[in-house]
Amino acid sequence: TPWLKLYSFKLFDKHFLEIAPYFLALRTVTRESLRFFLDRSESIEKFFGQEQPDYPLHDNSDNAAYSNMMNLVTHMGDIPEEKSMKGAVISVYLFRCLQHAQYFKYHVPEKLKGDRKLHKYETFMLKLLHHLVFVMIHNVQPVKTLITVPGKFFWEKMGLSLNPSFSLVNHNCDPNAFIFNMENQVLLVAASHIHEGEEICISYVPTYLVMAREQRELLLLRNYEFQCECSACVHREAVHSLNFVI
């Protein structure tokens, strides 16, 4: 889809995966000019500090893609303090990157040496970056490629992407669907028969078949701030566990 193509982040260093969402937030900004965001500031600012998502989101304008993305994060005040502080520091760093690259040139007057006061346009973009950082932290999906070797196959993570539609799919440790990448396309594929009216779910972490409940709980709490109460967590133990480094 065009969205995946614009907001994908191909990686070559596996150790880069942890910080990749932050640079995906920066890329979301730098692919457009400052004027683009200033012209849409009113529709963007309403999402800052929003407690509940806009639903249904009625936006058929050229702002729709950004509105859908901004609508993915609410309840910012409920984010754990340590994670919130880390996101704030990263946001300031990304903002400094924009300043260093002269992103604000032609719109913000040149400052005197030692003047650290932010122009109103800079303040707006810092708030936007802060929001986007948390959008990416909680909603990016891994881009995987299928690796086949004699006698077996496995998925190798090669990047991250953001697809707002798939970000709305809820989690289950025993999912009935999974996300599949095919070049620049992303598909939601059924993993089992899904009955009419049954919720479609994916797993945000390795499923209960390959990871112990305690490890899944830790990952979900750390990365998504919720404790799973699906049937696999309540009634079933993992079939077998793999060594998993957290």
Side-chain angles (χ1 to χ4, degrees):
T1 64
W3 186 272
L4 178 67
K5 183 177 180 181
L6 292 174
Y7 292 93
S8 64
F9 204 109
K10 297 294 182 66
L11 306 173
F12 300 97
D13 183 354
K14 294 180 180 179
H15 300 292
F16 192 56
L17 282 171
E18 184 178 353
I19 62 173
Y22 308 132
F23 288 95
L24 195 54
L26 181 63
R27 177 67 183 111
T28 305
V29 169
T30 58
R31 64 178 300 272
E32 303 289 355
S33 67
L34 177 60
R35 175 49 56 190
F36 174 90
F37 294 106
L38 295 180
D39 290 344
R40 295 158 178 79
S41 60
E42 185 175 347
S43 61
I44 291 175
E45 284 180 326
K46 71 177 184 178
F47 294 102
F48 297 160
Q50 187 170 252
E51 289 299 315
Q52 296 291 336
D54 268 357
Y55 182 80
L57 185 61
H58 298 296
D59 191 345
N60 298 317
S61 67
D62 60 349
N63 303 328
Y66 279 90
S67 295
N68 287 327
M69 179 173 55
M70 297 290 289
N71 204 34
L72 292 174
V73 168
T74 57
H75 299 92
M76 294 282 280
D78 295 336
I79 295 174
E81 183 177 354
E82 182 179 351
K83 190 172 186 178
S84 181
M85 179 61 71
K86 180 179 179 180
V89 171
I90 292 294
S91 302
V92 172
Y93 171 77
L94 298 179
F95 171 74
R96 295 301 186 193
C97 290
L98 291 181
Q99 286 185 315
H100 184 73
Q102 297 187 324
Y103 185 78
F104 299 97
K105 191 176 182 180
Y106 308 122
H107 295 282
V108 174
E110 188 173 348
K111 299 178 183 180
L112 298 175
K113 186 176 181 180
D115 182 7
R116 295 180 177 272
K117 186 176 181 180
L118 297 184
H119 187 275
K120 63 179 181 179
Y121 294 162
E122 293 177 312
T123 300
F124 166 68
M125 291 305 295
L126 178 56
K127 290 181 178 179
L128 175 59
L129 276 170
H130 182 257
H131 192 91
L132 289 175
V133 162
F134 285 97
V135 166
M136 300 303 170
I137 288 175
H138 293 101
N139 293 283
V140 291
Q141 301 103 22
V143 175
K144 299 178 181 179
T145 185
L146 185 63
I147 304 297
T148 58
V149 295
K152 62 179 181 179
F153 67 90
F154 59 93
W155 294 101
E156 182 174 83
K157 190 181 293 185
M158 60 177 292
L160 297 173
S161 67
L162 175 69
N163 187 301
S165 296
F166 290 161
S167 294
L168 301 177
V169 181
N170 282 329
H171 164 82
N172 194 303
C173 293
D174 184 15
N176 55 17
F178 63 94
I179 293 177
F180 178 76
N181 304 105
M182 183 181 296
E183 296 182 350
N184 284 336
Q185 301 296 318
V186 58
L187 306 172
L188 186 64
V189 181
S192 61
H193 180 70
I194 301 176
H195 299 281
E196 182 178 355
E198 180 183 356
E199 182 179 15
I200 298 174
C201 295
I202 60 175
S203 184
Y204 299 171
V205 298
T207 71
Y208 86 104
L209 294 175
V210 297
M211 179 177 284
R213 182 178 59 193
E214 293 77 12
Q215 292 175 302
R216 301 196 310 272
E217 286 180 347
L218 179 59
L219 283 179
L220 290 170
L221 284 171
R222 187 181 72 178
N223 296 327
Y224 301 99
E225 289 99 46
F226 74 87
Q227 184 168 355
C228 183
E229 297 180 354
C230 70
S231 59
C233 287
V234 175
H235 302 297
R236 279 174 276 179
E237 294 294 334
V239 174
H240 65 275
S241 295
L242 298 178
N243 291 328
F244 189 80
V245 179
I246 298 177

